[in-house]
Amino acid sequence: MDGRTLWYPQYAQSVQLADIDACELPQWALDPKWEDRERVKAPPPVPCGPFAKAWLKRTVGNKSVTCNVVSYRVDGTAIARCTTGARDLALEMLRVGWARVASPYLVNGQYAAYQRYAMAARYGMWATYVLDMNEWRRKAVDKTPDRWPIADFNLLAERESEISPPFADARKRLLRTDR
């Protein structure tokens, strides 16, 4: 369904991967390689949500997925640790940079290590300016799949937090127009 949710149509059941978060499908990130600022008024958009979904879909492919439910959300969605073969799907999403750890209080230290690796290598969303997913969910007015990237550019410019530490100075760079 997205970069952290699997759908089992035979049971009409969705399963959210435990301990990670990923961009929502309509969420955009922005490419920091913003050249020719006089002609192009915003950084190139990166479809963060669709990329996360595509990577998860590619990882699963036609393979069988096994999920061990750890809890349930209020809406009944199962939260689980899921594997395909010997591959932990959440760990795989962290490794390639299309997910982040959902909480600083992780039980699995390997998740944090894989996230640090992806951040250092600037894989996936870590190579972009991206708004924290929880802040995006709170602030985005239009959450339809056909929303324009400029909406997230505006949200990013007024953000409370970001999840791209390699670009700690992003707020200054995004607002500057003298380049």
Side-chain angles (χ1 to χ4, degrees):
M1 294 178 68
D2 59 30
R4 67 180 178 153
T5 311
L6 302 171
W7 175 250
Y8 289 89
Q10 66 272 34
Y11 306 113
Q13 178 71 43
S14 61
V15 176
Q16 182 177 315
L17 299 177
D19 299 326
I20 67 166
D21 200 357
C23 292
E24 294 292 330
L25 279 177
Q27 186 175 355
W28 292 88
L30 300 164
D31 188 339
K33 298 176 188 88
W34 182 10
E35 305 297 327
D36 194 7
R37 292 179 185 222
E38 288 302 314
R39 193 174 60 78
V40 180
K41 297 301 179 189
V46 176
C48 184
F51 280 178
K53 177 183 178 178
W55 190 267
L56 182 58
K57 194 172 183 175
R58 178 180 175 205
T59 302
V60 171
N62 294 345
K63 301 178 214 86
S64 175
V65 176
T66 303
C67 294
N68 294 317
V69 176
V70 294
S71 65
Y72 288 91
R73 287 193 341 206
V74 176
D75 66 1
T77 301
I79 299 173
R81 290 193 176 72
C82 300
T83 58
T84 179
R87 295 171 78 179
D88 178 332
L89 294 176
L91 196 62
E92 187 64 20
M93 292 300 290
L94 292 166
R95 182 186 69 79
V96 297
W98 288 117
R100 69 166 173 91
V101 293
S103 167
Y105 311 107
L106 271 183
V107 175
N108 188 340
Q110 192 177 17
Y111 282 17
Y114 272 63
Q115 178 175 295
R116 282 191 304 275
Y117 171 77
M119 288 169 67
R122 293 188 180 179
Y123 288 156
M125 69 182 167
W126 303 112
T128 68
Y129 298 131
V130 62
L131 189 66
D132 176 77
M133 291 88 179
N134 291 323
E135 187 174 346
W136 186 90
R137 288 180 194 108
R138 278 193 328 270
K139 291 185 172 182
V141 176
D142 177 10
K143 295 181 182 169
T144 60
D146 58 345
R147 69 193 300 270
W148 288 71
I150 193 67
D152 285 347
F153 175 79
N154 293 333
L155 285 175
L156 194 61
E158 61 188 34
R159 72 190 172 280
E160 295 165 13
S161 63
E162 65 178 315
I163 62 166
S164 353
F167 307 106
D169 62 337
R171 183 182 314 227
K172 292 180 192 116
R173 280 201 240 157
L174 283 175
L175 296 177
R176 285 184 60 182
T177 57
D178 59 337
R179 279 184 135 176

